[in-house]
Amino acid sequence: MLRSGALMAAGSIVSRATGFVRSAVVVAALGTGLLGDSYAVSNTVPNILYMLLIGGALNAVFVPELVRAAKEHQDGGAAYTDRLLTACTAALVVLTAVAVLAAPLIVSAYTPYTGTQASTTVALARYCLPQILFYGLFTLLGQVLNARGRFGAMMWTPVLNNFVIIGVFGLFLYVSHDAADGLTAGETRLLGLGTTAGIVLQALALLPSLRAARFRWRPRFDWRGQGLARPLRNAGWLVLLVLTNQISYWVVTRLSTATGRHAVEAGLAGGAGYTAYSNAYQLWIVPQGIITVSLVTALMPRMSSAASDGDLAAVRRDVSYALRSSAALVVPAAALFAAIAPWVMGSVFGYGRSGAADIEVMAGMLVAFAPGLIAFSGQYVLSRAFYALSDTRTPFFLNLVIAGLWAVLSAAAYLVLPPRWAVTGMAGAYSVALFAGLAVTAYTLARRLGPRAGTRTERRTTAVRTHLRLLVACLPAAAAGYAAARASERFGDFAAVGAGTAALALVVVLLARPLRLTEITDLLDSLRRKIGR
């Protein structure tokens, strides 16, 4: 499991690194103003719709169902897998076609744009919306690989997508002299089709791994009476869960795009709208995507198998392990973002059209997001435990806490704060909502799994204690990181980030043994043994 997690983490690191190069090229080409907002909305809407209509269900339902089918069916679940893939692909084709036709309505639902900006956004969206189908195929085929214990390909193939986007925007920078006032038809076609081509390649790149896993998909349409009712029912609750999230995200998108326009009209320096929010969010989510997702993806087949056997104690052990192990790196990462956000944002996005004012705005948003990273990671682990138990109904009701608070607090930020700070307030609102959701989810799951078993030491080794010790270590570490970054900033943003990261990591390592942070000390001991060999 650890080897699988390490392989996925490595792929995710490379993917995220190239993803930030991609984002830097996009910002350099389009900036963080209205043109950048148009592209960001057009490229984000396909992912929003995919997750809203089917993506969340595929991510959560597929692995537990395939693991159960492999145990219960004489053919190892092969026919069941073929039927489930066929049904989901058919739904994806229909949804994609409807979305492309409804592009103007979709754009108008997410933005207040009119005139040239609206037409540009709609044109880009028509080219980008076919991504829904290929996002779906990527998830479907990747989950088949995960259920068979092959985790690497799904984390590594997004690197190909990033290279395509980098190439497309590099070409755009070469052929476009000044896109500040809009895009030509040819430029729109280049950006839209090029962006979609990256997703197509990302999905098709899974095929060699599927062949290596000896998987051959044979479309089957004999769905009636074949046990598909349970996954469809579970998927229905997840669609509702994603719907509530997307309603909140729709509120934030509408308010942040409106704020961006207000900021331009007020003559404020720096883009304070949706693009800045999206860039800060993209950077903020990296540690969770590298660490927590990799670890839980490797654990999911094991948790699903234990849940299928009724071994709730094993599920509890895996959940506790995932929470503690991911926190050992996620909590320091949150402290790092809070301490050195200006230099982090400058090193990633400080190019081309992005100026010092833009960096300052995005850095403030990253600081507001930073505490929520801890809760976001924990919520991801706990929700996957419910999915392993084939319970998608309970997470839906628990998620209402997060979605409702996020929407309400974001609206309050928009109404109360000036344009310069409104979207930063929305980022802070998400952090507050995530902690509230984590509290109620942890309480509910603990009651579901029953009392802790094992020795007294094992019972005392809890995720809450680990998080508290990590926070004690990270407070002085964050101060050291800020001081080191500030002292090194004259050598550039990269030097400041390197110095700040090194100082924070050093303090955490020095405090690990006095604070009994076994997750960190065990990792350090393992590294020493490997180096000693």
Side-chain angles (χ1 to χ4, degrees):
M1 185 197 66
L2 289 174
R3 283 195 299 270
S4 298
L7 176 63
M8 286 185 286
S12 187
I13 289 170
V14 176
S15 175
R16 300 286 179 169
T18 54
F20 285 122
V21 175
R22 178 196 67 190
S23 297
V25 174
V26 172
V27 172
L30 302 180
T32 61
L34 297 182
L35 185 57
D37 281 1
S38 289
Y39 175 79
V41 170
S42 301
N43 191 37
T44 304
V45 160
N47 196 27
I48 291 173
L49 294 177
Y50 160 69
M51 291 301 297
L52 172 61
L53 298 172
I54 198 170
L58 298 184
N59 274 314
V61 171
F62 236 62
V63 170
E65 289 298 325
L66 296 184
V67 169
R68 183 177 288 104
K71 283 187 171 186
E72 297 176 353
H73 297 185
Q74 291 183 351
D75 63 350
Y80 183 86
T81 301
D82 289 339
R83 294 186 183 99
L84 201 53
L85 280 172
T86 304
C88 292
T89 303
L92 284 166
V93 170
V94 173
L95 292 174
T96 302
V98 172
V100 172
L101 292 174
L105 294 176
I106 293 170
V107 170
S108 65
Y110 278 92
T111 69
Y113 298 156
T114 57
T116 302
Q117 189 176 14
S119 60
T120 298
T121 308
V122 170
L124 282 169
R126 287 195 188 279
Y127 289 120
C128 291
L129 283 167
Q131 295 173 20
I132 294 172
L133 172 61
F134 295 97
Y135 274 128
L137 290 174
F138 174 74
T139 301
L140 288 168
L141 300 178
Q143 296 296 344
V144 170
L145 288 171
N146 289 347
R148 294 172 178 238
R150 293 176 177 262
F151 303 102
M154 199 173 183
M155 292 296 185
W156 281 93
T157 52
V159 175
L160 299 175
N161 172 38
N162 291 335
F163 282 136
V164 171
I165 304 302
I166 291 168
V168 167
F169 274 85
L171 179 60
F172 173 80
L173 284 168
Y174 178 76
V175 301
S176 174
H177 298 292
D178 186 6
D181 297 326
L183 300 173
T184 66
E187 291 167 347
T188 302
R189 189 162 48 249
L190 169 64
L191 298 185
L193 291 178
T195 301
T196 298
I199 304 299
V200 174
L201 179 60
Q202 174 180 303
L204 297 180
L206 294 178
L207 296 179
S209 296
L210 290 165
R211 285 196 294 268
R214 297 182 179 178
F215 174 74
R216 300 291 185 273
W217 177 21
R218 297 172 178 83
R220 299 189 62 152
F221 296 90
D222 53 334
W223 303 333
R224 186 181 297 275
Q226 298 299 327
L228 298 181
R230 183 179 61 231
L232 292 176
R233 182 173 58 252
N234 288 340
W237 284 107
L238 282 167
V239 168
L240 291 175
L241 185 151
V242 176
L243 175 61
T244 57
N245 278 340
Q246 293 306 325
I247 291 174
S248 299
Y249 191 78
W250 172 81
V251 171
V252 173
T253 303
R254 290 282 299 190
L255 297 180
S256 60
T257 52
T259 300
R261 295 189 66 181
H262 297 331
V264 171
E265 292 167 358
L268 295 177
Y274 176 75
T275 300
Y277 181 94
S278 178
N279 287 339
Y281 178 89
Q282 181 185 6
L283 185 56
W284 169 76
I285 203 173
V286 167
Q288 189 264 356
I290 292 174
I291 300 159
T292 312
V293 172
S294 299
L295 182 61
V296 175
T297 300
L299 276 171
M300 195 67 181
R302 194 170 82 180
M303 284 199 297
S304 300
S305 180
S308 179
D309 295 336
D311 189 357
L312 297 184
V315 176
R316 177 185 271 277
R317 285 194 298 272
D318 283 341
V319 171
S320 178
Y321 172 77
L323 287 170
R324 290 181 286 108
S325 298
S326 59
L329 295 175
V330 167
V331 175
L336 185 72
F337 286 156
I340 63 171
W343 301 285
V344 171
M345 299 306 291
S347 64
V348 177
F349 297 109
Y351 311 98
R353 296 178 184 273
S354 183
D358 299 296
I359 298 302
E360 182 182 352
V361 171
M362 290 188 285
M365 294 178 189
L366 183 59
V367 171
F369 271 129
L373 180 64
I374 302 169
F376 188 61
S377 177
Q379 182 73 15
Y380 185 90
V381 174
L382 299 181
S383 63
R384 265 53 189 178
F386 279 110
Y387 300 156
L389 295 166
S390 292
D391 180 2
T392 56
R393 181 175 179 270
T394 303
F396 162 72
F397 288 106
L398 295 172
N399 190 69
L400 293 177
V401 175
I402 299 175
L405 272 177
W406 186 22
V408 170
L409 294 178
S410 294
Y414 175 78
L415 294 173
V416 173
L417 298 176
R420 166 63 180 82
W421 295 103
V423 182
T424 303
M426 296 176 202
Y430 192 38
S431 291
V432 173
L434 284 169
F435 275 106
L438 178 65
V440 296
T441 304
Y443 175 78
T444 305
L445 182 62
R447 289 176 59 87
R448 175 74 173 272
L449 296 179
R452 297 176 61 86
T455 65
R456 181 180 179 183
T457 301
E458 290 173 340
R459 291 195 301 271
R460 288 176 61 85
T461 306
T462 66
V464 173
R465 285 191 174 95
T466 298
H467 279 76
L468 290 175
R469 289 173 182 149
L470 282 165
L471 287 172
V472 170
C474 286
L475 289 175
Y482 174 79
R486 189 68 180 268
S488 305
E489 65 180 350
R490 64 181 181 275
F491 301 109
D493 289 329
F494 280 105
V497 171
T501 302
L504 184 145
L506 178 61
V507 173
V508 171
V509 168
L510 291 175
L511 293 175
R513 291 195 187 279
L515 292 174
R516 300 195 303 277
L517 294 171
T518 57
E519 291 75 21
I520 294 178
T521 55
D522 289 348
L523 177 61
L524 294 173
D525 291 341
S526 176
L527 290 174
R528 289 193 191 98
R529 287 193 297 268
K530 290 188 176 184
I531 293 172
R533 292 175 187 172

